[in-house]
Amino acid sequence: MRGVAASLLVATLACSLPAGAATPEGQAHKPVHKEVHKAPHKQAATQSSRLAKKPEPKKAVAKKPVQKVAQKPVPGPAVPADESADGFLNLYVELCVRHFSDLDDFRARLLRDKVPRLPAEDAKLFLSGMEGDAWPVPYKGKMGNYVLALPAGKNLCLLHAHRANAAAVEKGFLDIVADAPEPMVAQRGPSREALSPDKIRTRTVSSTWAPPGARRKMEFMLTTTASSKAELQAMGSVAMVAGTTP
């Protein structure tokens, strides 16, 4: 999923680049998003098929180390797969990244279509003091874990998760934003840790994409906490920020 999400990220962000810096026109909105749901299952099926066809070790070599290796489970990723993390990363790409070049239209469409949103008082938690709107987002038919927030009049999109595997989300996020399409350059920001007033430790990682010498850059940021006491365990954002001129 993360490889597919990264491909979608590259394709989508090509539309948001300044004039002369984007990839060839027409490549940005190809239906890559279909692979977000299909690719993992196809890959798993292929892998399962290969494992199923693997011949059993012969009895003659039953006591050799080869048998012990064959009985070991297939190694997984360094961070265990987690549905809440996959859901967060999928929605981050599908909602914030895909619509970053038309956030005003996206927000207006959600309001026009009367998509159920949070009451203004409840939305404050997800808007960080800014004016705007927030929507609960379903994933695989379930509601309650993810919230999309779109501040009014800003090039900023926020996605929150009440519960998520912090380590899995961070690893997937960094995989997605590690490589930028030419001529942009990806630059990893320093990680930061902080302690909230209620003693909850958070960790923030970020990355920016921009052509060399650009006055604006795209910033991808993720804040997570492993504390089960936190009301929100993950927040991802995409924003257009001022760049630095060499």
Side-chain angles (χ1 to χ4, degrees), residues 8 45 51 64 76 91 94 98 101 108 114-116 134 147 153 155 162 169 194 207 213 220 222 225 235 245:
L8 177 58
L51 292 174
K64 292 184 178 182
L91 293 173
E94 287 287 342
R98 175 174 291 281
S101 61
K114 297 182 179 180
V115 177
V147 175
N155 288 320
H162 287 286
V169 168
S207 181
F220 310 93
L222 174 73
T225 179
M235 181 191 76
T245 302

Side-chain angles (χ1 to χ4, degrees), residues 9 34-35 42 48 67 105 116 118 127 131 143 145 149 153 157 162 168 172 187 201 206 216-218 241:
L9 177 66
K34 294 182 180 178
E35 299 179 23
K42 183 176 180 182
S48 299
Q67 183 186 19
D105 291 340
L118 296 176
L127 288 164
E131 296 294 326
M143 295 286 288
N145 196 36
C157 181
H162 287 286
Q187 184 174 358
R201 186 168 297 280
S206 64
R216 297 193 305 165
K217 57 186 178 181
M218 301 195 70
V241 299

Side-chain angles (χ1 to χ4, degrees), residues 70-94:
Q71 291 178 346
K72 287 184 179 181
V74 178
V79 178
D82 184 278
E83 184 174 321
S84 65
D86 286 346
F88 180 87
L89 296 170
N90 263 313
L91 293 173
Y92 177 73
V93 173
E94 287 287 342

Side-chain angles (χ1 to χ4, degrees), residues 15 64 91 97 100 148 155 163 171 205:
C15 287
K64 292 184 178 182
L91 293 173
V97 176
F100 185 72
L148 169 71
N155 288 320
R163 291 291 168 260
K171 182 180 184 303
V205 294

Side-chain angles (χ1 to χ4, degrees), residues 203-242:
R203 175 177 167 83
T204 298
V205 294
S206 64
S207 181
T208 58
W209 286 11
R215 294 184 178 180
R216 297 193 305 165
K217 57 186 178 181
M218 301 195 70
E219 183 179 61
F220 310 93
M221 186 175 292
L222 174 73
T223 298
T224 58
T225 179
S227 174
S228 59
K229 296 180 180 179
E231 186 166 0
L232 300 172
Q233 287 191 305
M235 181 191 76
S237 66
V238 185
M240 186 67 74
V241 299

Side-chain angles (χ1 to χ4, degrees), residues 131-214:
E131 296 294 326
D133 299 278
W135 292 263
V137 182
Y139 185 71
K140 291 187 175 181
K142 298 179 181 179
M143 295 286 288
N145 196 36
Y146 306 104
V147 175
L148 169 71
L150 297 176
K154 295 184 180 295
N155 288 320
L156 174 63
C157 181
L158 303 163
L159 181 71
H160 304 263
H162 287 286
R163 291 291 168 260
N165 183 318
V169 168
E170 180 176 314
K171 182 180 184 303
F173 173 84
L174 292 176
D175 286 347
I176 289 173
V177 302
D179 299 312
E182 295 182 355
M184 294 197 293
V185 176
Q187 184 174 358
R188 172 94 174 260
S191 60
R192 303 193 303 272
E193 294 192 1
L195 194 64
S196 68
D198 47 357
K199 307 301 181 183
I200 292 177
R201 186 168 297 280
T202 63
R203 175 177 167 83
T204 298
V205 294
S206 64
S207 181
T208 58
W209 286 11

